[in-house]
């Protein structure tokens, strides 16, 4: 019986599960494979490069292997910041913040550079990870949906816990 349970456990650890992969853009080096279930929300937080104001991008992983931007939240208008909704989106002003929801923007990946000033952070389940802890500012990265064996994701979840902060700190005016 014990051998059978051990075999089942061993096989289970080899089964792939979804993740948010953060990779170096060109070499594809894997910086982090964060285990996230499909449709589970996470946030990319940053200081806007021109307005120097906080912006939150709310996303989730789609089962088809895409990243979906669900919402954007910011606290002042300015160059390069959203100004209103496209058809089908919802726009509201709440507690001094502009909130654009129902965006449903689908991307196979999100490519970005870890900012010198932007202080990019990944926020998930109440924890916040400054992306500069994964690679130096200026590094171009790709955020992609991945699938890895559960033992790989367990290791990466431990790295997430060691590198991130709990609770996610308030980011210069964004709760």
């Amino acid at each position: 019986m014990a051998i059978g349970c051990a075999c089942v456990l061993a096989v289970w650890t080899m089964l792939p599960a979804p993740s948010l992969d953060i990779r170096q853009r060109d070499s594809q080096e894997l910086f982090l494979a964060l285990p996230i279930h499909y449709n589970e929300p996470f946030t990319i937080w940053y200081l806007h490069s021109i307005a120097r104001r906080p912006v939150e991008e709310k996303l989730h992983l789609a089962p088809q292997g895409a990243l979906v931007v669900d919402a954007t939240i910011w606290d002042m208008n300015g160059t390069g910041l959203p100004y209103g909704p496209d058809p089908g989106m919802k726009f509201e002003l709440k507690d001094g913040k502009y909130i654009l929801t129902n965006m449903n923007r689908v991307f196979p990946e999100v490519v970005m550079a870890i900012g010198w000033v932007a202080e990019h952070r990944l926020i998930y389940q109440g924890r916040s990870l400054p992306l500069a802890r994964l690679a130096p500012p200026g590094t171009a990265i790709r955020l992609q949906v991945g699938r890895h064996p559960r033992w790989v994701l367990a290791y990466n979840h431990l790295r997430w816990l060691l590198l991130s902060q709990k609770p996610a700190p308030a980011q210069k005016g964004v709760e």
Side-chain angles (χ1 to χ4, degrees), residues 49-64:
S49 61
I50 297 171
R52 300 287 195 264
R53 300 298 306 157
V55 177
E56 295 178 43
E57 301 282 348
K58 307 284 186 177
L59 301 97
H60 73 269
L61 307 182
Q64 308 86 324

Side-chain angles (χ1 to χ4, degrees), residues 19-21 42 59-62 64-70 104-111 142-146:
S19 64
L20 173 65
D21 288 2
F42 66 93
L59 301 97
H60 73 269
L61 307 182
Q64 308 86 324
L67 295 170
V68 180
V69 179
D70 298 309
N104 197 35
R105 292 195 173 155
V106 179
F107 298 94
E109 64 185 9
V110 173
V111 177
R142 294 178 188 274
L143 281 68
Q144 303 171 301
V145 177

Side-chain angles (χ1 to χ4, degrees), residues 135-173:
T139 303
I141 61 172
R142 294 178 188 274
L143 281 68
Q144 303 171 301
V145 177
R147 288 186 59 79
H148 299 278
R150 291 175 193 274
W151 71 267
V152 170
L153 295 178
Y155 167 78
N156 276 271
H157 183 73
L158 179 59
R159 286 192 64 232
W160 163 258
L161 293 174
L162 293 172
L163 293 170
S164 63
Q165 304 165 316
K166 183 173 173 82
Q171 309 296 331
K172 297 186 182 182

Side-chain angles (χ1 to χ4, degrees), residues 69-82:
V69 179
D70 298 309
T72 300
I73 302 170
W74 69 103
D75 67 358
M76 72 175 270
N77 286 321
T79 303
L81 290 167

